[in-house]
Amino acid sequence: MLEDSLMAPSLRPRDGEAERHFIETLRALCEQAGFAFQIEPAPDQLPDFLGDYRPDAVARKPMRNFAIDVWSGPDPSEPPLPSVRRLFDGHPDWHLHVGFMASDPLRAIVIPGADPAQIRAQAAEIRALHAAGHRRPAFVMALSLLEAALRVQSEDADGTNPPGAVVQALAMNGLIEPETEHALRPLVALQNRIVHGDLAADPMADDVALVLAAVETTLSEEASHP
């Protein structure tokens, strides 16, 4: 079973050079956020409650620790990890973080940062678009504001990033809670379906509000940490 293969990293197929580059990118992101980062920790360097599970890396700081599992290929809405996720139940200072390697390399496009007031003005326009019944375009535009909000927080986020990587960065920097990341993941997959022409893909009525709430949370973090 796929879940069983997660119990030892060596059992999963690897794209060696791409994965090393991806993990080093994660290392830089985590260390910038104040985490101590360790690749392929030994069993005695992991908490006992993880049992035989071996993450690809761990990121630690007081009261906020991540076990990181790297997946390649498209960014699925919900990775098949329920048994692994259950290991973290009852341990609020530890979280499972699934890092997705994009299928295509990121293009080196520099996007200028936006002022929080501009982002909030765009959010108001999106709400009006949604209220007028244009749910799909409002949904896609709302998710784009997540990346704009991330750029307010991170000087290193001036390139283009797939939506899954944006959600990942927000979570790793503590800008959104793990529960919010968990809720946003399926919306990323839905956005991908919409922008690639799946006419049957339709967001739920509350999805735009959920995304815009995450945008506002990120901007509020910026206000509380000048």
Side-chain angles (χ1 to χ4, degrees):
M1 293 176 61
L2 184 55
E3 288 180 19
D4 294 335
S5 72
L6 289 171
M7 305 311 279
S10 61
L11 296 180
R12 280 186 285 151
R14 298 294 189 184
D15 183 356
E17 186 61 33
E19 181 168 316
R20 280 192 294 273
H21 177 73
F22 182 83
I23 290 179
E24 286 302 323
T25 300
L26 273 182
R27 179 202 290 273
L29 176 67
C30 291
E31 291 180 347
Q32 180 189 11
F35 288 91
F37 193 88
Q38 184 178 16
I39 298 172
E40 295 187 355
D44 61 359
Q45 297 172 312
L46 296 169
D48 292 340
F49 70 82
L50 290 181
D52 293 330
Y53 173 61
R54 299 290 176 264
D56 294 308
V58 292
R60 307 174 192 256
K61 66 180 180 180
M63 302 305 295
R64 192 170 183 87
N65 304 286
F66 289 91
I68 298 169
D69 212 300
V70 175
W71 286 62
S72 61
D75 184 338
S77 63
E78 178 63 24
L81 300 173
S83 66
V84 176
R85 288 191 183 279
R86 283 194 292 271
L87 296 174
F88 295 82
D89 291 348
H91 303 279
D93 56 334
W94 275 90
H95 309 279
L96 175 64
H97 182 78
V98 181
F100 296 98
M101 293 194 299
S103 298
D104 299 317
L106 299 178
R107 294 178 174 87
I109 300 173
V110 176
I111 306 294
D115 183 88
Q118 293 176 300
I119 297 173
R120 289 187 170 104
Q122 284 285 312
E125 292 183 9
I126 290 169
R127 290 188 184 95
L129 187 67
H130 184 263
H134 304 292
R135 190 157 61 192
R136 284 161 54 95
F139 174 73
V140 172
M141 292 173 66
L143 275 165
S144 75
L145 288 190
L146 275 179
E147 188 167 4
L150 174 62
R151 291 192 195 101
V152 172
Q153 290 284 10
S154 174
E155 295 179 356
D156 294 332
D158 57 356
T160 58
N161 298 282
V166 172
V167 172
Q168 177 174 290
L170 291 171
M172 293 299 291
N173 280 282
L175 301 172
I176 58 175
E177 293 299 319
E179 295 80 6
T180 302
E181 179 193 14
H182 189 70
L184 288 173
R185 282 287 178 193
L187 302 189
V188 169
L190 179 60
Q191 184 202 35
N192 288 338
R193 290 171 56 195
I194 292 172
V195 300
H196 289 293
D198 184 349
L199 300 183
D202 194 22
M204 301 290 288
D206 294 337
D207 288 345
V208 170
L210 172 62
V211 176
L212 292 180
V215 171
E216 182 57 37
T217 295
T218 302
L219 296 178
S220 297
E221 285 291 329
E222 189 273 339
S224 63
H225 295 87

